[in-house]
Amino acid sequence: MEVEEALRERIAGMERRISNLERLVRVSLMLNSTLSLEPLLETIIQVIIELTETEDCSIMLLDEKTGELRFRAARRMRREELEQIAVPLDNSIAGWIFRENKPLLIRDAQKDTRFYQGVDEKLDFCTRSIIGVPLQVRGRVIGVLEAINKRGDKEMSWEDVNVMTALAAQAAIAIENARLMEELRMAYEKLHELDRLKSDFISIAAHELRTPLSLILGYASFLRGSATGQASEQLDIVLQSAMRLNSLIGDMVNLRHIETGEAQLELGIFSLNDLVRVCLQEFLSLIRVKQQTVGLNLPSPPLMIEADRQKLHLVLGNLLSNAVKFTPAGGRIEVLACEREGKAWVAVRDTGIGIPRKEWERVFDRFYQVEPSLSRRYEGMGLGLSIAKGMVELHGGRIWVESEVGKGSTFVFHLPLTQSPGGA
Ligand code: ADP
């Protein structure tokens, strides 16, 4: 009879363990899928209290600034109390567990010299027994998990320690992930706000700069008309600089329009051959100064497309300007256009300095320049390609670059030959 009784008890014990394990597995799965810190901590506490049959459970994480352990969750504390109560690393059980990176089982906390009375005093609570385990991620201890006061007349056991250790390993990773996620979210929010401020700034600055600039341009070209000798050369420089400033402001405004979705296509049907020729013409004097050679390969008969001519002019202008700028004297610039797979293709090829593979995508980011602006040999704001990309994509097309450092770059884009109503 006694044997039967003992057997039954053993079976009951094993069943309890299996059910605990099942619970642990389920909680582990849940911990892995939750990225929100507060509900995650609540669940961990709830499960520990149930599995260890204790009155409470606390999660303390190291506060890197003060070097103390700070409560992040505990059932016996209100939210505002959590924030106020800290446990020192010296002379506390949690501090010992943290520093030694070992679990601890204490059946009579009041008699343990390491016990820190501060928390009980503030909460008017009496801690009798404690199990504590370190929370660690990749070998680094980030906090301590404690179960407090076994319920009924049972005693804390090493089986409880095992349950907590198993859960602590999962919980620590989940806590760390949630923390990283929170940091990322905050960084994103900040970035978003900065982006908005920048966009507002560009819009105001562009507006304020344009009025005085148009006056400068107007008066300078008026004076240029009647000036002679040295004065006319000086006025040419004033005009050129003012025009450059005007185009920089134009770039900023264009980019803002693309970003805010204000940019719209004004469609017309025109010859792509013609547009390429007109754009190239604008750069011929610069190309001549740099003694570069030019190649042109255009389809015959001319390729007619339906697109926004002014915007494509800007795209080609930016690509050509870069090709000339980043190609040393004596280099070669080629422009190719053709029709393929129902699309218009354009390539601008140069024998310039080239772009490293890892930068091929980033050069299309706004303000991005391969060479940092302060040490730059080439002028520019890093906006041309992002505007070109925005304009091509507005047409439902794609733009990319292939390049070899020291050999040259080829920028390619393609667009649909016609724009379907309501956008591409
Ligand atoms: P910007 O020319 O004003 O700097 P862009 O957006 O037009 O800005 O170009 C971004 C960067 O991409 C350039 O600063 C340069 O580092 C690189 N780049 C663009 N075109 C070329 C090219 N044809 N050859 C080499 N590098 C280029």
Side-chain angles (χ1 to χ4, degrees):
M1 226 25 205
E2 254 177 41
V3 178
E4 214 172 283
E5 185 76 9
L7 209 60
R8 212 174 291 138
E9 234 170 65
R10 262 188 83 186
I11 290 172
M14 278 162 86
E15 274 174 352
R16 208 175 44 247
R17 255 192 235 169
I18 289 173
S19 120
N20 277 359
L21 276 174
E22 273 174 0
R23 190 86 213 270
L24 267 178
V25 171
R26 253 181 293 136
V27 172
S28 302
L29 288 177
M30 201 214 78
L31 290 186
N32 281 330
S33 61
T34 310
L35 276 173
S36 190
L37 194 54
E38 297 305 324
L40 186 80
L41 300 182
E42 290 300 325
T43 313
I44 295 169
I45 283 186
Q46 175 75 23
V47 173
I48 300 251
I49 289 175
E50 270 177 46
L51 292 183
T52 57
E53 295 175 74
T54 46
E55 286 176 6
D56 201 4
C57 166
S58 344
I59 295 172
M60 287 163 265
L61 298 179
L62 180 72
D63 181 339
E64 308 248 348
K65 282 192 210 108
T66 61
E68 293 170 317
L69 289 166
R70 208 158 272 283
F71 281 92
R72 289 304 304 264
R75 196 184 265 180
R76 64 190 185 288
M77 296 183 199
R78 291 194 307 271
R79 190 174 279 267
E80 56 279 13
E81 281 173 333
L82 285 175
E83 282 158 18
Q84 285 159 12
I85 304 176
V87 175
L89 285 182
D90 295 323
N91 301 320
S92 74
I93 287 174
W96 186 93
I97 296 167
F98 184 92
R99 285 211 169 118
E100 297 293 318
N101 191 10
K102 281 184 196 148
L104 201 59
L105 186 160
I106 294 172
R107 296 212 166 92
D108 191 347
Q110 301 292 335
K111 284 210 188 108
D112 196 297
T113 50
R114 290 165 292 194
F115 182 60
Y116 171 68
Q117 297 282 355
V119 181
D120 274 6
E121 278 165 14
K122 283 198 184 105
L123 296 175
D124 201 14
F125 183 86
C126 178
T127 302
R128 299 189 307 276
S129 49
I130 301 181
I131 288 178
V133 293
L135 288 165
Q136 56 170 317
V137 187
R138 290 181 289 274
R140 185 172 56 90
V141 185
I142 60 164
V144 174
L145 182 66
E146 281 186 349
I148 314 280
N149 295 355
K150 193 84 173 171
R151 269 178 278 148
D153 49 11
K154 289 189 189 150
E155 290 224 315
M156 297 275 201
S157 72
W158 282 99
E159 199 184 318
D160 294 330
V161 176
N162 289 342
V163 168
M164 285 185 57
T165 308
L167 208 57
Q170 300 283 331
I173 293 171
I175 289 170
E176 189 70 358
N177 284 348
R179 250 197 336 202
L180 291 174
M181 212 43 203
E182 183 62 19
E183 273 175 29
L184 202 66
R185 198 186 54 75
M186 275 159 59
Y188 261 118
E189 257 174 31
K190 218 166 161 184
L191 211 64
H192 215 73
E193 175 60 14
L194 281 175
D195 210 46
R196 198 186 56 75
L197 282 176
K198 186 215 67 199
S199 193
D200 287 353
F201 169 76
I202 288 179
S203 147
I204 295 166
H207 183 78
E208 294 299 317
L209 290 173
R210 278 227 152 126
T211 318
L213 193 60
S214 58
L215 285 173
I216 294 174
L217 272 168
Y219 278 105
S221 40
F222 170 72
L223 290 172
R224 173 73 182 78
S226 52
T228 50
Q230 208 184 0
S232 83
E233 275 169 33
Q234 287 161 348
L235 277 167
D236 274 343
I237 294 172
V238 172
L239 268 173
Q240 270 167 21
S241 306
M243 269 167 1
R244 168 137 183 79
L245 210 54
N246 202 28
S247 104
L248 289 177
I249 296 171
D251 274 359
M252 293 200 290
V253 173
N254 277 325
L255 185 74
R256 191 179 161 274
H257 282 170
I258 294 169
E259 280 177 359
T260 54
E262 284 168 46
Q264 279 188 352
L265 292 181
E266 283 173 33
L267 296 177
I269 296 174
F270 56 91
S271 149
L272 184 62
N273 298 37
D274 183 40
L275 178 67
V276 171
R277 282 213 173 85
V278 169
C279 285
L280 194 60
Q281 187 69 35
E282 290 169 9
F283 287 92
L284 279 184
S285 55
L286 210 63
I287 289 173
R288 227 169 276 135
V289 171
K290 287 190 85 172
Q291 294 170 332
Q292 292 162 336
T293 56
V294 177
L296 201 54
N297 190 338
L298 299 177
S300 169
L303 182 56
M304 299 305 288
I305 58 166
E306 186 191 19
D308 185 324
R309 186 176 172 126
Q310 223 186 333
K311 292 198 171 59
L312 286 195
H313 194 133
L314 211 62
V315 174
L316 268 168
N318 282 338
L319 296 185
L320 280 168
S321 147
N322 281 343
V324 177
K325 182 162 71 174
F326 294 107
T327 301
R332 183 167 175 79
I333 318 278
E334 280 172 27
V335 187
L336 299 88
C338 66
E339 180 192 343
R340 230 170 60 195
E341 297 155 2
K343 290 176 190 144
W345 291 65
V346 179
V348 177
R349 178 174 293 159
D350 64 56
T351 56
I353 59 171
I355 301 168
R357 175 74 189 86
K358 65 177 183 6
E359 313 275 6
W360 286 4
E361 261 135 55
R362 298 188 68 185
V363 289
F364 292 97
D365 289 350
R366 53 213 160 132
F367 299 110
Y368 190 79
Q369 300 178 312
V370 174
E371 209 174 298
S373 28
L374 289 179
S375 61
R376 282 169 66 76
R377 287 164 288 163
Y378 310 95
E379 61 179 22
M381 279 202 301
L383 287 184
L385 288 180
S386 59
I387 292 171
K389 182 168 186 259
M391 303 269 168
V392 168
E393 286 175 356
L394 208 59
H395 283 86
R398 229 170 69 71
I399 184 167
W400 68 94
V401 65
E402 284 163 20
S403 177
E404 203 176 324
V405 174
K407 292 244 165 86
S409 313
T410 306
F411 282 85
V412 185
F413 69 89
H414 61 59
L415 334 147
L417 289 173
T418 54
Q419 296 290 314
S420 53

